[in-house]
Amino acid sequence: MPKVGIVYLVGAGPGDPGLITVKGLECIKKAEVLVYDRLASKRLLSYAPKDCEMIYVGKLPDRHTLQQEEINQLLVDKGLEGKVVTRLKGGDPYVYGRGGEEGELLRENNVPFEVVPGITSAIAVPAYAGIPVTHRDCTSSFAVITGHEDPTKTESSIHWDKISTGIGTLVFLMGVGNLPSITQNLMENGRSADTPVALIRWGTRPEQRVLTGTLFDIVQKVKDAGFTSPAIIIVGEVVKLRDTLTWFEQKPFFGKRVVVTRSREQASDLSRRIEEMGGEAWEFPAIEIDHPEDYGPMDEAINQLDTYKWLIFTSVNGVDYFFNRLRHHNRDIRDLKGAKICAIGPKTKERLEDMCLNVDFVPSEYVAEAVIDVLRGKLLPGDKVLMPRADIARAILPDTLRDEMQADVTNVVAYRTVRGGGDATLLKELLEEKMIHYVTFTSSSTVKNFVEILNADNLHDLLKDVKLVSIGPITSQSAKDLGLKIDIEADEYTIDGLVDALARC
């Protein structure tokens, strides 16, 4: 008997990728086929498995990639092939998402399906614009109404005489093209021409734009501003609360989309900081962290731990991979007794302190040259030094400690920095569409791999209107060597410093 798959009808929310539900994200992560439309955030696509089949079925007001009937049949066909299919729809699948039609055909063909509700734009988009759909001083009722009825209908199914004065807040979805008809019907059926109206375009995204007026003048304002879909329409006294309750547009990074080139495991801290400040972080991992090809040198160093007088850690990764290997050999921090510890950077220091280790020295600047300065007069000739580092770490630190201070330095590869798996095709599309505002680089390898992964002959054209932000001078020099101009460099060579640099842009 042939295997039958399952189809998940998933609401992606109104646009901000952070508004996807936990269950919705799980469905994306296990999808074998991902069927998505233009209102679902492209950033959510990065969570799909690498071998997932991606099918775009987006619709525009004037053209469809696929007709709805074809989308319905596509879901059936893929389900009957035994695939796990995630149908990713903007908003909620059952709020004007035509998910009911898709579910009906799936049921007719005995294809199992589940519905994962999403946060509808009808309430989320007004909230991001500072407009609550209900408020005790304004109204206790609201209605969600299609602004784009089936054009084949001979009569409207909207009871204008009832909704015009019988409901406090009216939310019209997909109604920009029909705005003149909507405002006229409301006024002809008793709604005051002075009633406040707001149109919100691309709500919850960096491109969010809000236009306000009244039923009387909003059509002309939309025309004058060239305001186009996709947008929702809010009618009611609650619109007046926008001046008081606006919050999203007041964040310092509002309207900014920032590319984070760190490894996927390390990107979360920077991404979180960007999004807390109102920006949208787009993770494009230019590097990945991997095990060393040969653990022999580090194992030999671990076997001789009691002979080292100094341990120098230059990164959090170096700490993690060294101590993971230490545990692999059933050893622990007791084997470090007597050794002095030096750490580059506050995060490296914090990670060591989390392991109940006191750090003896942290240079004021977080580069190899500063380590050399802080160790002068402290590191004695003949002292044995262990440095667990990346395979591509600069040689200046161990070389200087050997040549100038006559230290006995063991520089071992604790981890490798390899090229990441960022989606170059998708990033190029975003750059071509001018949807990227900043690219951040946290190391020389992120710059080098970013250029190699994009592999674009027109790279300078793609980055023409994009500001490039570097974590420090070494990274900036690497960018310069590759022909890239860094627009701003962090004063403190940390993630906090990088965020501060972004804030100055």
Side-chain angles (χ1 to χ4, degrees):
M1 183 175 178
K3 174 188 172 186
V4 176
I6 186 169
V7 177
Y8 296 101
L9 304 177
V10 177
D16 180 346
L19 295 180
I20 186 76
T21 65
V22 173
K23 187 169 184 178
L25 192 58
E26 290 174 352
C27 292
I28 296 172
K29 289 179 177 179
K30 64 184 177 183
E32 295 176 297
V33 180
L34 188 65
V35 181
Y36 64 100
D37 63 33
R38 76 169 181 137
L39 297 182
S41 170
K42 289 183 179 179
R43 188 170 148 203
L44 293 175
L45 308 184
S46 65
Y47 291 100
K50 289 183 178 180
D51 57 351
C52 179
E53 181 183 2
M54 315 285 269
I55 303 176
Y56 175 65
V57 294
K59 302 175 185 177
L60 292 169
D62 58 343
R63 66 182 184 277
H64 290 179
T65 301
L66 291 179
Q67 297 293 330
Q68 184 61 48
E69 293 75 15
E70 295 175 298
I71 298 172
N72 299 347
Q73 190 60 50
L74 173 67
L75 299 177
V76 169
D77 292 344
K78 293 297 180 180
L80 291 175
E81 288 176 14
K83 300 293 181 65
V84 175
V85 183
T86 295
R87 168 69 168 113
L88 196 61
K89 307 167 75 70
D92 179 272
Y94 279 7
V95 180
Y96 304 125
R98 304 190 74 172
E101 298 171 46
E102 294 169 350
E104 285 178 315
L105 192 64
L106 290 166
R107 179 55 50 83
E108 288 177 19
N109 287 271
N110 296 314
V111 177
F113 71 92
E114 293 183 16
V115 178
V116 181
I119 299 176
T120 174
S121 61
I123 57 172
V125 168
Y128 269 58
I131 302 171
V133 293
T134 64
H135 189 281
R136 65 181 300 170
D137 294 335
C138 300
T139 182
S140 58
S141 64
F142 76 97
V144 182
I145 307 146
T146 179
H148 185 68
E149 284 191 283
D150 186 341
T152 62
K153 288 182 178 179
T154 56
E155 300 183 359
S156 172
S157 60
I158 299 173
H159 299 289
W160 294 101
D161 59 328
K162 293 181 173 60
I163 69 166
S164 295
T165 57
I167 298 171
T169 302
L170 304 177
V171 183
F172 292 89
L173 303 186
M174 305 168 292
V176 177
N178 287 334
L179 183 61
S181 174
I182 291 170
T183 56
Q184 181 180 349
N185 275 304
L186 290 174
M187 288 187 289
E188 287 180 352
N189 284 275
R191 197 78 170 213
S192 170
D194 294 329
T195 303
V197 180
L199 270 74
I200 309 165
R201 186 173 192 269
W202 286 122
T204 79
R205 302 179 184 227
E207 294 82 11
Q208 175 174 302
R209 296 294 178 268
V210 182
L211 183 67
T212 59
T214 65
L215 283 176
F216 177 76
D217 63 17
I218 193 64
V219 172
Q220 188 60 47
K221 284 188 173 184
V222 166
K223 182 178 180 182
D224 293 343
F227 211 85
T228 59
S229 64
I232 71 169
I233 304 163
I234 315 294
V235 179
E237 296 301 313
V238 290
V239 172
K240 292 180 180 178
L241 294 167
R242 170 171 159 76
D243 292 339
T244 302
L245 299 179
T246 298
W247 59 274
F248 184 45
E249 295 152 74
Q250 293 181 343
K251 285 177 171 278
F253 283 8
F254 170 71
K256 307 302 183 186
R257 188 172 282 108
V258 185
V259 172
V260 175
T261 55
R262 300 189 91 192
S263 67
R264 203 176 298 280
E265 296 81 8
Q266 293 182 306
S268 58
D269 187 32
L270 178 54
S271 296
R272 176 182 55 79
R273 294 287 304 280
I274 290 167
E275 294 182 347
E276 283 176 352
M277 299 178 73
E280 181 179 295
W282 192 280
E283 294 180 3
F284 180 81
I287 62 170
E288 297 293 349
I289 307 303
D290 203 356
H291 297 278
E293 292 181 336
D294 179 11
Y295 270 112
M298 188 154 67
D299 288 346
E300 184 177 347
I302 288 173
N303 287 332
Q304 301 177 34
L305 266 184
D306 57 348
T307 68
Y308 291 100
K309 291 190 175 182
W310 290 84
L311 272 74
I312 300 177
F313 293 97
T314 59
S315 69
V316 171
N317 288 321
V319 174
D320 290 345
Y321 275 82
F322 174 78
F323 282 97
N324 284 340
R325 196 63 183 173
L326 197 66
R327 281 190 289 270
H328 172 79
H329 289 290
N330 200 30
R331 303 178 68 169
D332 58 32
I333 60 173
R334 288 173 292 186
D335 293 292
L336 304 182
K337 61 183 182 295
K340 293 187 179 298
I341 297 176
C342 179
I344 294 185
K347 294 298 182 182
T348 306
K349 177 176 180 286
E350 286 176 17
R351 186 60 58 90
L352 288 163
E353 289 175 340
D354 287 344
M355 298 178 178
C356 295
L357 290 168
N358 290 325
V359 177
D360 298 284
F361 301 101
V362 179
S364 56
E365 293 187 47
Y366 312 129
V367 291
E369 290 82 350
V371 176
I372 295 167
D373 290 338
V374 81
L375 293 183
R376 291 188 191 281
K378 302 178 182 69
L379 185 64
L380 302 178
D383 279 356
K384 290 194 68 175
V385 180
L386 177 60
M387 297 177 56
R389 304 198 300 164
D391 59 327
I392 60 172
R394 294 188 304 147
I396 183 172
L397 179 54
D399 287 353
T400 303
L401 296 182
R402 290 190 190 103
D403 298 341
E404 293 187 15
M405 301 185 190
Q406 287 78 55
D408 182 359
V409 180
T410 301
N411 183 56
V412 296
V413 174
Y415 64 94
R416 289 185 302 132
T417 300
V418 299
R419 186 185 296 184
D423 189 333
T425 300
L426 186 53
L427 182 57
K428 284 178 184 177
E429 288 178 6
L430 293 171
L431 288 168
E432 288 168 354
E433 294 168 7
K434 307 298 182 185
M435 294 179 68
I436 299 296
H437 306 99
Y438 300 93
V439 176
T440 60
F441 296 114
T442 54
S443 65
S444 295
S445 53
T446 60
V447 182
K448 175 177 176 289
N449 291 349
F450 176 83
V451 172
E452 290 181 356
I453 294 170
L454 279 184
N455 190 27
D457 294 333
N458 63 334
L459 181 60
H460 288 89
D461 290 336
L462 289 175
L463 298 176
K464 181 180 178 182
D465 299 316
V466 178
K467 289 187 180 297
L468 306 184
V469 186
S470 161
I471 200 169
I474 305 302
T475 301
S476 297
Q477 185 59 50
S478 298
K480 183 179 179 181
D481 293 343
L482 290 166
L484 300 181
K485 177 182 176 294
I486 294 296
D487 294 283
I488 191 163
E489 180 180 288
D491 293 330
E492 179 183 284
Y493 315 147
T494 64
I495 295 303
D496 288 342
L498 191 65
V499 173
D500 289 341
L502 275 169
R504 298 199 305 271
C505 287

